[in-house]
DNA sequence: TCGCACATGTAACGCGTTACATGATTAC
DNA sequence: GTAATCATGTAACGCGTTACATGTGCGA
């Protein structure tokens, strides 16, 4: 029960924003929840089909555009399922950082190696921060009157705060390692 | 190749600290890398056996203690394998936060629900911070002259900085949600 | 004596990604 | 014409956890 698939809930949640296709959903997820939650094709499409079979979402085929597109919409039952899940305590909080694992074993190699790893983290974090800032601005203008906005901005703010902290840590770590390098030379 | 098992490297790395048994390794991992990397029984023991078969670790049976204990030691080949991995760029950086996902969909339920989730995050973060602080003190006294110490403290510092940022975010988010609640009432 | 910590493993299951298959339209 | 994007799906594979199996010794 505990490790049961959460994909269904991510989907149901996305459909409270608007009815959409699986493809659209994936794009939106990447840009919105991408920093803390993502789903792959192989999870998404089968899950959508299952939800439809269970009556938690309805599906209509849209043939107006180029290729056939399946537009999914959340049902009353689906809404029930979602809010019920939202009320439960969160279970899944996974972090797995190969960068930190490598740093942890850094004593086995030259400090330059660890420096390089941290530099990469630094660059990636900076890139993430600017993406987040852009998303934030975009949401503010695009969803001015949506009840979702407040919550979305909170998750963005989370990314911003953690990102800034990460950046500062990187700079600190780089300093320490460089000082150490000089220390060993002299 | 890219998604190849990293367990082997985590094990090899741990064995650069000291020769140890699988059981000990698990304990140590939980306390040291637990916040950013962990392995379960079902990964650890088979991986140890494979590494031994490949000659990357050696294994001696210790019958002095209560139950038979297998002490693993990293070999020269294993050391080679490890340093080679350490030099490569990190690939695996996974984050999956159900708490944030629930917050993202918070507009679908009463603000009290989201408040509660954030409160849980806050408490968990505080607990993590005090565990980290304790570990840090412990390492300082226990491994004063180890070349590992500097690197270990850096990963702890990472946890501390991110943790503090998380804490501040929680407090901020709680304030925002409470303000919003009052706003709706009046 | 009951339960916990020590200690090693296996089997089953589900999670999640990747790669593949298909095919239309659009932009260069 | 050919590459990229839109669009949906499937199959295979490996990752990772959980639960189970087994047994010892120690402390409350």
């Amino acid at each position: 029960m505990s490790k049961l698939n959460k994909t269904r809930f991510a989907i149901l949640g996305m459909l409270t924003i608007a009815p959409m296709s699986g493809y659209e959903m994936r794009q939106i997820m990447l840009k919105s929840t991408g920093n803390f939650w993502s789903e792959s094709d192989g999870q998404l499409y089968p899950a959508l089909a299952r939800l439809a079979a269970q009556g938690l979402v309805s599906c209509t085929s849209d043939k107006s555009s180029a290729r056939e597109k399946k537009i999914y919409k959340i049902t009353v039952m689906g809404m029930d399922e979602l809010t019920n899940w939202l009320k439960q305590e969160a279970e899944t909080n996974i972090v797995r950082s190969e960068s930190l694992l490598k740093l942890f074993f850094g004593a086995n190699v030259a400090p330059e190696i660890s420096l390089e790893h941290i530099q990469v983290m630094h660059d990636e974090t900076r890139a993430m921060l600017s993406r987040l800032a852009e998303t934030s601005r975009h949401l503010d203008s695009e969803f001015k009157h949506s009840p979702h906005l407040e919550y979305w901005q909170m998750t963005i703010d989370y990314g911003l705060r953690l990102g800034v902290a990460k950046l500062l840590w990187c700079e600190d770590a780089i300093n320490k390692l460089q000082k150490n390098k000089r220390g060993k030379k002299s």
Side-chain angles (χ1 to χ4, degrees), chain A:
Chain A
M1 185 61 110
S2 60
K3 274 285 162 182
L4 214 58
N5 203 350
K6 305 289 161 59
T7 304
R8 45 196 280 104
F9 301 114
I11 291 174
L12 290 173
M14 284 295 155
L15 292 179
T16 65
I17 302 168
M20 62 181 90
S21 69
Y23 190 82
E24 284 175 280
M25 198 177 294
R26 208 159 54 92
Q27 311 297 319
I28 294 177
M29 274 189 179
L30 273 176
K31 282 184 193 160
S32 60
T33 64
N35 283 308
F36 55 85
W37 196 274
S38 58
E39 305 284 354
S40 59
D41 278 14
Q43 296 271 100
L44 200 58
Y45 287 110
L48 274 168
R50 275 195 302 273
L51 285 171
Q54 290 164 14
L56 301 181
V57 304
S58 66
C59 173
T60 55
S61 207
D62 173 16
K63 281 160 186 165
S64 67
S65 58
R67 189 183 160 174
E68 192 190 11
K69 199 200 273 196
K70 292 185 176 177
I71 305 293
Y72 293 92
K73 206 180 149 187
I74 191 166
T75 64
V76 176
M77 259 177 71
M79 201 61 207
D80 242 49
E81 183 80 359
L82 175 67
T83 54
N84 187 48
W85 168 72
L86 284 173
K87 287 173 192 166
Q88 315 294 318
E89 199 165 321
E91 303 170 314
T92 305
N93 282 299
I94 297 168
V95 178
R96 217 145 196 250
S97 167
E98 195 182 338
S99 313
L100 285 178
L101 187 62
K102 286 189 173 178
L103 183 63
F104 189 81
F105 298 133
N108 296 294
V109 284
E112 283 82 3
I113 307 274
S114 298
L115 268 169
E116 180 60 28
H117 290 316
I118 297 171
Q119 195 60 55
V120 171
M121 289 175 79
H122 189 266
D123 295 348
E124 284 172 356
T125 306
R126 284 245 288 203
M128 185 208 63
L129 280 174
S130 67
R131 275 199 309 277
L132 274 182
E134 221 223 309
T135 305
S136 178
R137 261 177 280 124
H138 176 251
L139 289 179
D140 265 339
S141 63
E142 208 77 354
F143 295 92
K144 210 156 206 162
H145 304 296
S146 167
H148 289 291
L149 181 60
E150 181 188 9
Y151 292 92
W152 294 350
Q153 290 293 11
M154 272 193 261
T155 64
I156 287 190
D157 192 44
Y158 181 92
L160 289 174
R161 276 175 181 267
L162 281 256
V164 168
K166 215 181 273 190
L167 225 50
L168 292 173
W169 172 83
C170 284
E171 284 156 20
D172 210 38
I174 287 171
N175 277 335
K176 274 181 196 163
L177 281 178
Q178 277 175 344
K179 204 174 290 176
N180 189 269
K181 253 173 61 187
R182 279 198 300 278
K184 274 184 186 163
K185 267 185 191 169
S186 67

